[in-house]
Amino acid sequence: SLQLGGRNMANTAFVLLEDDRVLVSYDGGRPHELNPATAEMATAVGKNSEWQGTMPSWMGWLMPHPFKMVMSTAHPAADGNTLFTIEYNTEILGNGTWTRICRWDGDGPMDSWKLVDPFGRDVGIEQSVHQIAVSEDFIVICDTAFTVEIEDMFGGDANHPQSPDTVMWV
């Protein structure tokens, strides 16, 4: 929306936490918790201010939307009552690529960490992170074939080839 910003359909996956809490998620937005008795939205994961959003900061004066466009994973992972997800940015309008691992314990603010490679450089997602996985010691992030084509967002012709490679970050 030109007035409100990015939409979040939260329509892709259900994530169940151990204490019978239910979350729904979407590639293009932050996860939301549902009331399991009524299926009504209870809360969004993290405050809006805790999510960075994909648009470059210099565009804030041009588009001061209350709802940021957020790139996340459609299938976050739960460990007990803790949700693990990510937020990332692909190269859009000169905004550099970056990736953050986010952890939410279901109460209060999110914790997040910037993901860097062994040389200290920001990890950039080239395509999309549709799903992540967690184990006792690792978080697995897969950069898989699905690219966001900015031309498509503005009604233009978008038909770029997807990469045949899948990059995994552990």
Side-chain angles (χ1 to χ4, degrees), residues 37-51:
T38 65
E40 293 178 352
M41 186 180 85
T43 187
V45 171
K47 293 180 180 177
N48 198 29
S49 61
E50 294 179 275
W51 294 87

Side-chain angles (χ1 to χ4, degrees), residues 70-125:
V70 171
M71 294 302 295
S72 188
T73 177
H75 300 276
D79 181 18
N81 288 319
T82 303
L83 179 76
F84 290 89
T85 189
I86 65 163
E87 181 184 18
Y88 64 95
N89 187 54
T90 57
E91 186 65 41
I92 296 177
L93 301 174
N95 198 15
T97 60
W98 48 264
T99 304
R100 293 184 322 134
I101 296 172
C102 304
R103 180 181 66 193
W104 187 62
D105 67 6
D107 185 35
M110 277 192 323
D111 295 315
S112 68
W113 299 269
K114 187 177 187 180
L115 189 60
V116 296
D117 70 14
F119 303 102
R121 298 176 299 212
D122 289 341
V123 166
I125 300 300

Side-chain angles (χ1 to χ4, degrees), residues 21-22 32-36 38-44:
R21 293 171 75 178
V22 178
H32 284 75
E33 183 176 354
L34 296 180
N35 178 326
T38 65
E40 293 178 352
M41 186 180 85
T43 187

Side-chain angles (χ1 to χ4, degrees), residues 148-153 155-160:
V148 175
E149 298 173 329
I150 197 153
E151 303 93 340
D152 189 42
M153 292 182 205
D157 185 26
N159 193 14
H160 302 288

